[in-house]
Amino acid sequence: MTRVDPSLMSPTEEMIGEHQPREHAEPLNPHTKSLQLDADSVQSEDKRDGGCWQVRYTFAFLALVGIALMYAMRVVLSIAIVAMVGSNGHQQHANVTHEASNICPDSDALDHGDVNTSTSITKDSVLEGEFAWDETIQGVILGSFFWGYCCTNIMGGRAAEYMGGKLVFGLGIVLSALLTVLTPVSARISTELLIAVRVLGGIVQGVVFPAVNSMLATWIPPTERSMYTTIVFSGFPLGTVVCLPVGGWLCSSGFLDGWPSPFYLFGGLGLLWGVAWFLLIHDRPEHHPRISKQELAHIQSFGTSIKRAEVVSLPVKDIVLSLPFWGLMAGSVGYDFGFYTLLTELPTYLKNIQNFDMSQNGLMSALPFLVMWLWGYVWGSLMDRFTAASLLPLLSIRRLSMAVGMYGPMIGLVLMCFVNCNTVLAMVVLCMAVGISGSVNCGFLCSHQDLAPNFAGTLLGLTNTVGSFAGILAPMITGSITEGNQTLSAWRSVFLITVAVYCVTNTLYIIFISCKVQPWNEPKIDKDGKEYIVDQETRVTMVSDETRETLLEKNIQEC
């Protein structure tokens, strides 16, 4: 065994600033010249790393579409439930009189000269539904998905690390598609069966995000994570953008009996997506039959910043004692609470408070998420350029992205308390509050890969498990506040609770987060019994003389 010559050390540390600390320096890099971060060299290297279309582009595209369909299948009930319940489940109690300043009058009622507040509310006959569910039951149905979702996130992360993200991610979406197709039948049989199907849907979707995060840590170098993570995770606002207006239109139509049709549409598309995923995607770059030598060398040149092929034992104690991990946990939980509050309850708010009809509701509910989707790309591209030009270290990018992505929506929700019945202003503020949260794609969603690429799937599983409880609590809290009380003051309470959660959790993230690869990312002894040596100055991997000579020869040939 021979210590690696320092001349062969990777320049990755210079490229990625704080992400690659000296104690985690790269063991080897035969591509020194190809890894300089001035803008011209990055562009020229892209052309040399496998041509115009690289296989990781295919992975990113299919992962994006898969997550978009997954979110469409998750969100479709939020818009369909408005049609399923219709006017039956959200009527105000006729014997309850609210102050005129605390409700928004129905414009249709005003057009017909009906200015009686309690009468105009109870006459909401835009849509008659099949089910007599009150707000509390609706909250239970919408939240039941997360009962299952919180059970399989950790399992999904470890399964992806053992069996590969391709299988786990693919099965999660395909099985979810099957359950989505079965949802209308289950709802008509019984409410209990519908809840059971939603719980199962949460169970199979719980593995999806941890699995794709593990694949991102395997395929994407750290300097490209802001952009690729933005592309892949932009699937969830994209799925929402597509689902809400399309679902709203289908629910208001007579196609396939109205509200069941969006379940059939998105479930069927999920099954078709599964065919493409299992045919075109592979777990690791070195296993892909169509990857170019240049692209493979580019990915592998980042050494320990990329997830290793071997499964590493989970260092539970080290993770529990890690302050950066708890900062990441706080940011994740806070974001999930705010996002799920808006995702599941926005259609209800727009119908019951702003008095949108069914077709308007889907389009207007989707508009904030369209802004989120577009803003995510703008912010991701900007942060990618900052990283490439070394204008900001990665830690500053993570903190800045989270400050914009969570403090911004926090301010927006405070403003929502003052918009009252101004529909245009309400939509502008909601678009700002939801849209600007797309910045978090470059924040906490990258931090799992930053802290421990070998455990990126498991870490996201841990944070998503706790965050999924926010998905359970958010609709239940909203339902308990607004049941029989669809008023401006009730919704102000919902918004202010979310503001408090945003403020506390994001502050903890910014204080404690790091973008350095944590010492517990690597095992002290690998599967061959070779030890990793750590000293005060730099961390190097011990390699055999044969490996060293092979890499030297390869470097000479390519230079």
Side-chain angles (χ1 to χ4, degrees), residues 77-78 81 134-147 198 336-348 467-483 486 491 494 497-498:
L77 185 60
S78 296
I81 200 169
D134 60 25
E135 281 85 353
T136 300
I137 295 298
Q138 292 178 57
V140 171
I141 293 172
L142 291 171
S144 61
F145 173 91
F146 296 95
W147 301 350
R198 291 292 292 175
D336 285 345
F337 185 91
F339 180 77
Y340 290 134
T341 297
L342 294 172
L343 181 69
T344 59
E345 300 300 333
L346 189 55
T348 302
S468 63
F469 286 102
I472 298 173
L473 291 174
M476 293 181 69
I477 290 173
T478 303
S480 64
I481 293 173
T482 61
E483 181 177 359
Q486 291 290 346
W491 280 94
V494 173
I497 290 172
T498 308

Side-chain angles (χ1 to χ4, degrees), residues 146 329 332-333 336-337 340 462-472:
F146 296 95
M329 177 69 78
S332 177
V333 170
D336 285 345
F337 185 91
Y340 290 134
L462 289 166
T463 59
N464 235 17
T465 296
V466 180
S468 63
F469 286 102
I472 298 173

Side-chain angles (χ1 to χ4, degrees), residues 13 16 52 77 111 134 164 174 192 197-198 202 208 218 255 337 354 415 475 501 510:
E13 178 181 353
I16 61 178
C52 295
L77 185 60
D111 291 342
D134 60 25
V174 169
E192 292 77 13
V197 169
R198 291 292 292 175
V208 169
T218 302
F255 181 66
F337 185 91
Q354 300 299 336
L415 295 177
V501 173
I510 290 174

Side-chain angles (χ1 to χ4, degrees), residues 86-379:
S87 60
N88 299 326
H90 59 256
Q91 295 185 59
Q92 300 286 355
H93 296 164
N95 61 346
V96 178
T97 302
H98 299 283
E99 295 180 9
S101 61
N102 204 24
I103 59 171
C104 295
D106 192 333
S107 59
D108 291 337
L110 293 178
D111 291 342
H112 290 84
D114 186 357
V115 294
N116 185 298
T117 299
S118 65
T119 304
S120 65
I121 293 174
T122 57
K123 287 174 65 176
D124 179 11
S125 57
V126 173
L127 184 67
E128 289 295 331
E130 293 184 33
F131 307 97
W133 298 328
D134 60 25
E135 281 85 353
T136 300
I137 295 298
Q138 292 178 57
V140 171
I141 293 172
L142 291 171
S144 61
F145 173 91
F146 296 95
W147 301 350
Y149 189 74
C150 66
C151 297
T152 53
N153 272 267
I154 299 174
M155 184 189 309
R158 288 308 279 171
E161 289 158 7
Y162 275 91
M163 299 186 294
K166 171 186 174 179
L167 178 64
V168 177
F169 183 78
L171 282 180
I173 294 179
V174 169
L175 292 176
S176 177
L178 288 172
L179 291 168
T180 301
V181 172
L182 295 175
T183 298
V185 177
S186 64
R188 284 170 169 161
I189 293 175
S190 73
T191 302
E192 292 77 13
L193 183 59
L194 171 61
I195 291 174
V197 169
R198 291 292 292 175
V199 171
L200 289 174
I203 289 173
V204 298
Q205 281 199 17
V207 305
V208 169
F209 276 136
V212 79
N213 210 45
S214 180
M215 294 191 73
L216 283 167
T218 302
W219 279 89
I220 308 303
T223 54
E224 301 172 3
R225 280 177 188 156
S226 291
M227 194 65 230
Y228 276 89
T229 301
T230 295
I231 291 171
V232 171
F233 285 109
S234 69
F236 63 81
L238 175 60
T240 306
V241 166
V242 173
C243 176
L244 291 178
V246 173
W249 175 74
L250 288 173
C251 287
S252 61
S253 71
F255 181 66
L256 294 178
D257 211 13
W259 66 263
S261 56
F263 292 96
Y264 300 143
L265 172 64
F266 295 115
L269 290 175
L271 296 174
L272 290 176
W273 170 90
V275 176
W277 175 263
F278 285 110
L279 287 177
L280 298 176
I281 300 302
H282 295 265
D283 285 315
R284 297 192 58 84
E286 59 267 26
H287 298 161
H288 202 295
R290 294 178 298 277
I291 192 170
S292 67
K293 293 181 180 179
Q294 293 85 355
E295 184 180 2
L296 179 61
H298 171 67
I299 295 171
Q300 292 181 333
S301 67
F302 286 84
T304 57
S305 292
I306 296 293
K307 181 182 178 300
R308 58 191 286 150
E310 298 84 359
V311 178
V312 180
S313 298
L314 189 65
V316 177
K317 180 180 178 181
D318 292 329
I319 293 175
V320 170
L321 296 178
S322 173
L323 281 178
F325 168 75
W326 287 110
L328 171 59
M329 177 69 78
S332 177
V333 170
Y335 175 78
D336 285 345
F337 185 91
F339 180 77
Y340 290 134
T341 297
L342 294 172
L343 181 69
T344 59
E345 300 300 333
L346 189 55
T348 302
Y349 168 79
L350 293 179
K351 179 165 179 58
N352 295 344
I353 301 300
Q354 300 299 336
N355 297 306
F356 287 127
D357 62 28
M358 191 66 239
S359 58
Q360 288 177 317
N361 198 341
L363 183 61
M364 292 298 102
S365 296
L367 190 57
F369 295 98
L370 175 62
V371 178
M372 178 184 180
W373 179 53
L374 296 174
W375 174 251
Y377 281 118
V378 172
W379 186 262

